[in-house]
Amino acid sequence: MVIDSVEALEDAIAASEERLVLLFKHSVTCGTSAQAYDELVDHLRTGQHTTQYVILTVQTHRALSDAVATHFNVRHETPQTLLIHKGQVVWDASHFSVTAETIKAAIAQYLSSRSMA
């Protein structure tokens, strides 16, 4: 799902009440962001997912990207991934830390910690 409006952002935050949401902030002019996007695609190819994935393109929606930074009290970066649950960021990564493996591990670790709680 592409986030292209405040309403779409609010929908993604609301969805995080029921399931994990991974928000990927992407820059179409940045090689590092292109590499991170490829890593996200590789992660998505690995099978079924219970997490909802949303993408925000910074060049076309900079104000919305700034709203994300303000809402979640995180520094704006691209590429950047925010794992959101119940309206809160539970994990984030940026730049070369955004890999298929780190995304998979973060989701698994969070789900594992929740099942033990």
Side-chain angles (χ1 to χ4, degrees), residues 5-107:
S5 67
V6 172
E7 293 79 19
L9 175 60
E10 290 170 352
D11 288 347
I13 294 169
S16 78
E17 292 296 324
E18 301 295 324
R19 64 195 293 187
L20 287 172
V21 172
L22 187 125
L23 181 129
F24 178 73
K25 289 173 51 182
H26 179 54
S27 169
V28 295
T29 59
C30 172
T32 304
S33 193
Q35 182 178 345
Y37 179 83
D38 289 345
E39 290 286 334
L40 175 63
V41 170
D42 285 348
H43 165 71
L44 292 171
R45 286 185 183 138
T46 63
Q48 295 185 359
H49 302 285
T50 57
T51 302
Q52 178 176 330
Y53 296 86
V54 294
I55 296 176
L56 189 157
T57 302
V58 175
Q59 282 84 358
T60 54
H61 298 92
R62 180 56 196 243
L64 198 51
S65 177
D66 291 341
V68 167
T70 300
H71 179 86
F72 293 111
N73 196 28
V74 295
R75 186 174 134 191
H76 162 76
E77 298 185 76
T78 54
Q80 183 177 43
T81 53
L82 304 174
L83 188 61
I84 305 163
H85 190 238
K86 298 203 180 286
Q88 302 294 315
V89 172
V90 297
W91 174 81
D92 67 280
S94 64
H95 298 88
F96 294 108
S97 296
V98 179
T99 67
E101 189 56 40
T102 60
I103 293 168
K104 178 183 174 183
I107 292 168

